[in-house]
Amino acid sequence: MAKKVQKRYLVPEDYMADPAVHVFDGKLYIYPSHDYYSGIPEDDWGIHFDMKDYHTFSIDGDPMTGEVTDHGVTLDLKDIPWASKQLWDTDVCEKDGKYYLYFPAKDKTGIFRIGVAISDKPSGPFVPQPDPIRGSYSIDPSMLKDDDGSVYMYFGGLWGGQLQRYENNEAVNDIRFRQAGEPALPSRVVKMTDDMLQFAEDPKPVVIVDENGTPLDAEDPHRFFEASWMHKYNGKYYFSYSTGDKHELCYAVGDNPYGPFTYQGVILTPVIGWTTHHAIVEYNGKWYLFHHDCVPSKGYTPLRSLKVCELTYTEDGKIETIEGYDGELEA
Ligand code: FUB
């Protein structure tokens, strides 16, 4: 049974989506995608998500009440030499006092690659590298800095995110979606090089298994679609993700950054709007879920709004399911 909880819109004056959130220097920083009205008709490939820049936000104190600061445009499509369009979900990781912003964009041939941009401050601005990461593909990079200092990227997204174009990290000509009876197409995880600019190894599949250790089926409603996020709780690795066309945020738990991860349940039931996307972060001893919905745009999927609410665990480490549908509360 999903809980109804108090939620807060963080940037009511603009449309922001796909939050990545971290605590840097004791303060919460949010790295969202920046939606705007492009007028491009919606399709299954997400071409209506035609974003052209990123902003960074920070919150003073408690995310439910603290003042939100907009640090302005921190990376602009026109300044990225290799990219042509669609700045989708981003994330930031700190190492040795530098901040690395990872972002997907289509290159000049229409293929999604993942790039890096660097700043001395968590608020940016971020200066892009001239080329995307070698061997990168698909969308939705999400970063984990583990306790031993190793940094991992989780990435991938189906349909418009182009993950179905790749087998064993190679683009294939014969693109097909997996069918019932086949394992679901997995997200990917890869360790980063010490300089944070390249993959240190070949990306590996993030396998989600059921309680019997069997990988989730391609037609399982809880299979991975996009929007990877990783957080640690009581020493375990919590891999969370969107089920895309099933519109839920779900999670699976493992013992190490590579998995396998055992499916646990639903974090957030469907919101108003097609996509659902999130970050989970601890701040001052409480846990928070940042996500987006389309209530302010009256259900118009390309214009999404950032929200935050508290997230709770049961004593046995399960996340308590939150009700995503807030239409009647805020219409
Ligand atoms: O914002 C564009 C795409 O929509 C993201 O990359 C996906 O995760 C979905 O939220």
Side-chain angles (χ1 to χ4, degrees):
M1 178 73 182
K3 292 199 302 184
K4 277 197 178 292
V5 299
Q6 184 68 35
K7 298 188 186 130
R8 174 194 188 193
Y9 281 107
L10 289 161
V11 188
E13 67 281 9
D14 205 344
Y15 294 106
M16 299 282 164
D18 304 333
V21 184
H22 296 281
V23 180
F24 294 131
D25 301 329
K27 196 180 236 198
L28 280 162
Y29 285 87
I30 312 173
Y31 304 95
S33 309
H34 184 191
D35 288 351
Y36 75 102
Y37 181 72
S38 67
I40 297 171
E42 291 176 51
D43 72 0
D44 281 349
W45 309 105
I47 61 163
H48 43 286
F49 295 123
D50 188 37
M51 296 84 101
K52 295 183 188 310
D53 63 27
Y54 294 114
H55 286 230
T56 302
F57 296 86
S58 60
I59 308 179
D60 268 334
D62 184 342
M64 298 302 291
T65 55
E67 191 181 343
V68 177
T69 301
D70 180 355
H71 297 274
V73 174
T74 53
L75 180 62
D76 196 307
L77 180 66
K78 67 177 170 22
D79 298 324
I80 306 168
W82 59 269
S84 68
K85 57 170 139 174
Q86 290 177 298
L87 292 181
W88 286 12
D89 162 57
T90 182
D91 196 4
V92 169
C93 190
E94 180 275 340
K95 186 170 182 194
D96 299 333
K98 288 207 181 297
Y99 296 83
Y100 298 84
L101 181 137
Y102 298 89
F103 61 93
K106 282 192 177 154
D107 67 12
K108 311 269 187 219
T109 69
I111 302 297
F112 268 116
R113 306 277 177 211
I114 297 174
V116 194
I118 305 168
S119 178
D120 292 329
K121 294 181 295 181
S123 53
F126 296 89
V127 178
Q129 292 290 105
D131 298 299
I133 296 173
R134 280 191 297 279
S136 67
Y137 56 92
S138 199
I139 60 164
D140 287 3
S142 174
M143 310 306 292
L144 169 73
K145 187 179 181 186
D146 210 345
D147 301 335
D148 66 357
S150 303
V151 174
Y152 301 89
M153 178 190 289
Y154 296 82
F155 68 93
L158 292 174
W159 298 14
Q162 302 180 340
L163 191 60
Q164 65 278 357
R165 292 181 176 211
Y166 297 86
E167 290 286 347
N168 299 320
N169 302 314
E170 298 289 337
V172 290
N173 292 326
D174 180 22
I175 299 163
R176 67 174 198 97
F177 288 94
R178 297 205 182 169
Q179 309 292 319
E182 294 182 280
L185 198 61
S187 173
R188 308 287 201 266
V189 54
V190 61
K191 194 172 190 174
M192 302 301 294
T193 50
D194 285 343
D195 66 4
M196 301 284 273
L197 301 179
Q198 300 294 338
F199 294 164
E201 58 186 2
D202 290 337
K204 298 171 174 35
V206 175
V207 179
I208 301 172
V209 299
D210 66 16
E211 67 280 10
N212 301 313
T214 306
L216 295 195
D217 189 86
E219 287 293 318
D220 189 304
H222 300 128
R223 59 90 172 92
F224 169 82
F225 186 96
E226 63 186 3
S228 300
W229 185 258
M230 175 60 78
H231 75 280
K232 289 180 80 174
Y233 181 76
N234 283 346
K236 297 272 190 199
Y237 293 78
Y238 282 59
F239 176 71
S240 48
Y241 55 95
S242 164
T243 59
D245 55 342
K246 306 295 185 276
H247 313 289
E248 287 177 327
L249 294 176
C250 293
Y251 74 110
V253 172
D255 293 323
N256 69 77
Y258 292 103
F261 300 92
T262 304
Y263 180 75
Q264 302 291 318
V266 175
I267 298 170
L268 186 74
T269 63
V271 297
I272 290 183
W274 199 96
T275 69
T276 186
H277 197 118
H278 70 303
I280 295 171
V281 66
E282 185 181 20
Y283 181 77
N284 267 355
K286 288 185 177 175
W287 287 87
Y288 295 92
L289 175 73
F290 291 77
H291 70 100
H292 66 231
D293 74 12
C294 298
V295 173
S297 68
K298 310 232 175 319
Y300 182 56
T301 283
L303 296 180
R304 300 164 294 177
S305 295
L306 274 190
K307 303 175 96 164
V308 63
C309 63
E310 237 187 275
L311 173 140
T312 47
Y313 298 84
T314 60
E315 276 185 6
D316 58 355
K318 296 254 192 231
I319 294 176
E320 295 192 288
T321 306
I322 296 167
E323 173 73 52
Y325 181 81
D326 289 329
E328 77 283 18
L329 296 178
E330 294 161 60

